[in-house]
């Protein structure tokens, strides 16, 4: 394995760490932003909608951009600008300007998200074995760090603005340094025809899975703080721990996810994860105990963590160039983030936040059902080239089983 490829792998992991830190800092201080603006949960849902809409718009546009420019070039521009846009959210003085700044932040973050997953897919395919869950573990580390820093900031009386400004100023130079580690996509810059061509059906099925998984992750990121504080009755400092606790569960799951995928196959692992997600959310929503609710966040993280990385990894291997397919799957996933805050906010206004979050149980079942619909022969196997080739007489009978892994 070349030194450049190893450096690129570590660079992608650290990019996920940085993205998790930047996004997690924003989400973990949402209760403080709600108080700063003096708005209702439904109005806060509009701010989150602007963020999700910005991400979705850029993701839909990224199919062509990624096919022409490749993930490395896009990341070198978008990652520093994403950190700068977090600064804009921090200093926005009014509700309308916060909505506009959140939309801008979402646009740059959506660009970074597609590009870093495409870069990860390039590295993964070059290695020839599953790596995407390990890369997404970097996101968990960054998000957990954001939660810890947020809790410390709350304890010290640090304002929402000061917290975000500090993280943004540290993230800008880090993003520039990471830009030196990226490698060209395997087929980047050859043609934009792949971006215009309709994706294989499996990409859209993976998009449905990503939609459900992203909505679950977004529901925890956006609403767990308010749920723990206002519904369960936890102090704000304890409520802020809910998100890093959730990310801790995700981190454990993602550190083992690549090995589990290699052993059981992506299809079976996604199906089981959906059922486990539904069960974990049912536990959290049925309790009135702060301890049980916070512990339940760990279980949700353990259950849902491997789903979105596997969906994006499979999408990246479904076509010749990973960028456009990941952009399509990612856009469908971020549609979940786009609809989630609005739907949960509206249901909360009509009923309660506890009742609104029961939507996540149905999302867990949606992941399971869609995973069972995935065609086995369309699921690629990383590392296949390193295995002993089957004997000629056995190749036609064993191939579907090997592809299903």
């Amino acid at each position: 394995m070349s030194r450049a490829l190893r450096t690129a792998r570590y660079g992608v992991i650290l990019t996920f760490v940085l993205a998790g830190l930047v996004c997690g800092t924003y989400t973990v201080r949402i209760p403080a932003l709600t108080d700063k603006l003096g708005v209702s949960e439904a109005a806060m849902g509009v701010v989150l909608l602007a963020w999700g809409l910005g991400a979705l718009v850029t993701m839909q546009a990224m199919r062509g951009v990624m096919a022409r420019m490749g993930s490395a070039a896009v990341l070198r521009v978008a990652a520093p600008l994403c950190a700068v846009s977090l600064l804009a959210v921090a200093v926005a003085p009014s509700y309308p300007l916060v909505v506009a700044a959140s939309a801008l932040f979402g646009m740059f973050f959506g660009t970074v998200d597609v590009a870093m997953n495409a870069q990860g897919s390039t590295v993964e395919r070059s290695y020839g074995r599953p790596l995407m869950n390990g890369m997404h573990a970097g996101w968990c580390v960054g998000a957990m760090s954001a939660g810890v820093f947020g809790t410390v900031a709350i304890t010290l009386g640090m304002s929402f603005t000061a917290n975000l400004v500090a993280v943004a100023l540290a993230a800008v130079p880090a993003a520039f340094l990471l830009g030196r580690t990226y490698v060209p996509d395997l087929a980047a810059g050859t043609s934009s025809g792949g971006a215009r061509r309709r994706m294989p059906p499996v990409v859209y099925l993976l998009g449905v899975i990503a939609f459900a998984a992203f909505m679950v992750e977004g529901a925890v990121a956006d609403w767990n703080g308010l749920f723990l504080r206002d519904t369960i009755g936890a102090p704000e400092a304890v409520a802020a721990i809910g998100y890093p606790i959730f990310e801790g569960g995700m981190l454990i799951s993602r550190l083992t996810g690549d090995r589990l995928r290699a052993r059981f196959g992506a299809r079976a692992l996604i199906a089981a994860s959906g059922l486990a997600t539904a069960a974990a959310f049912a536990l959290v929503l049925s309790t009135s105990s702060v301890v049980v609710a916070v512990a339940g966040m760990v279980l949700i993280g353990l259950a849902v963590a491997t789903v979105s990385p596997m969906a994006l990894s499979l999408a990246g291997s479904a076509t010749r160039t990973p960028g456009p397919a990941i952009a399509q799957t990612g856009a469908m996933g971020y549609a979940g983030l786009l609809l989630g805050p609005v739907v949960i906010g509206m249901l909360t206004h009509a009923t309660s936040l506890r009742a609104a979050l029961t939507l996540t149980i149905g999302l867990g079942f949606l992941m399971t059902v869609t995973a069972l619909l995935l065609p086995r022969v369309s699921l690629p196997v990383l590392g296949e080239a390193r295995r002993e080739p089957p004997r000629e007489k056995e190749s036609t009978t064993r191939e579907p089983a090997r592809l299903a892994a």
Side-chain angles (χ1 to χ4, degrees):
M1 198 64 60
S2 70
R3 181 178 179 181
L5 190 56
R6 285 195 298 270
T7 300
R9 179 185 177 186
Y10 296 132
V12 174
I13 293 172
L14 289 175
T15 301
F16 273 94
V17 171
L18 186 63
L21 175 64
V22 169
C23 186
T25 299
Y26 174 63
T27 55
V28 81
R29 296 305 306 267
I30 283 174
L33 178 58
T34 304
D35 293 341
K36 173 186 174 181
L37 297 173
V39 298
S40 66
E41 292 173 349
M44 195 64 220
V46 175
V47 175
L48 299 173
L49 168 64
W51 183 88
L53 182 60
L56 181 61
V57 166
T58 53
M59 283 184 162
Q60 287 286 28
M62 287 301 290
R63 282 178 58 172
V65 174
M66 292 294 296
R68 289 191 298 271
M69 297 180 59
S71 60
V74 172
L75 272 176
R76 290 183 184 116
V77 175
L81 291 177
C82 182
V84 172
S85 65
L86 180 68
L87 190 63
V89 175
V91 301
S94 65
Y95 178 75
L97 290 177
V98 167
V99 172
S102 292
L104 184 66
F105 178 48
M107 291 175 67
F108 286 119
F109 182 79
T111 304
V112 169
D113 194 277
V114 170
M116 70 183 181
N117 277 288
Q119 178 71 189
S121 179
T122 292
V123 173
E124 184 181 57
R125 291 165 70 182
S126 298
Y127 264 79
R129 57 186 173 90
L131 296 174
M132 192 68 84
N133 269 295
M135 293 173 181
H136 278 250
W139 169 278
C140 299
V141 172
M144 289 172 63
S145 300
V148 172
F149 294 155
T151 301
V152 172
I154 292 168
T155 303
L156 296 177
M158 198 173 185
S159 68
F160 169 85
T161 299
N163 192 175
L164 266 66
V165 166
V167 171
L169 292 179
V172 172
F176 277 114
L177 290 174
L178 287 172
R180 304 177 63 181
T181 68
Y182 306 133
V183 294
D185 290 353
L186 296 177
T190 56
S191 172
S192 61
R196 296 189 298 266
R197 197 177 304 122
R198 184 176 177 82
M199 294 288 141
V202 69
V203 172
Y204 296 97
L205 284 175
L206 293 167
V208 172
I209 292 171
F211 173 90
F214 272 73
M215 186 178 280
V216 167
E217 293 183 32
V220 177
D222 295 342
W223 297 106
N224 91 92
L226 291 173
F227 175 77
L228 292 173
R229 188 187 71 173
D230 298 344
T231 302
I232 301 297
E236 184 178 355
V238 175
I241 295 176
Y243 185 60
I245 286 290
F246 165 74
E247 290 290 345
M250 293 187 76
L251 175 61
I252 295 170
S253 187
R254 285 175 174 174
L255 287 174
T256 59
D258 291 323
R259 289 190 292 273
L260 291 173
R261 174 183 169 183
R263 180 171 182 178
F264 298 106
R267 187 171 180 265
L269 187 54
I270 292 172
S273 297
L275 292 176
T277 299
F281 252 113
L283 172 65
V284 170
L285 296 176
S286 64
T287 188
S288 58
S289 166
V290 173
V291 174
V292 173
V294 172
M297 295 297 170
V298 179
L299 299 179
I300 297 171
L302 287 169
V304 78
T306 61
V307 177
S308 56
M310 283 190 292
L312 292 166
S313 174
L314 292 171
S317 300
T319 59
R320 185 169 177 265
T321 53
I326 287 176
Q328 179 62 51
T329 299
M332 294 178 68
Y334 270 79
L337 288 181
L338 173 65
L339 293 176
V342 179
V343 173
I344 292 176
M346 291 175 63
L347 290 175
T348 298
H349 183 71
T351 56
S352 67
L353 183 55
R354 188 191 296 269
L357 286 172
T358 59
L359 175 66
T360 56
I361 298 175
L363 293 170
F365 287 118
L366 177 61
M367 288 181 238
T368 297
V369 172
T370 310
L372 296 176
L373 294 176
L374 288 172
R376 292 176 180 270
V377 294
S378 296
L379 302 184
V381 174
L382 292 167
E384 196 170 38
R386 297 188 177 192
R387 302 178 184 177
E388 287 294 327
R391 296 177 183 177
E392 185 172 354
K393 291 182 180 180
E394 299 173 342
S395 61
T396 56
T397 58
R398 293 191 177 181
E399 188 67 15
R402 294 167 65 236
L403 288 175

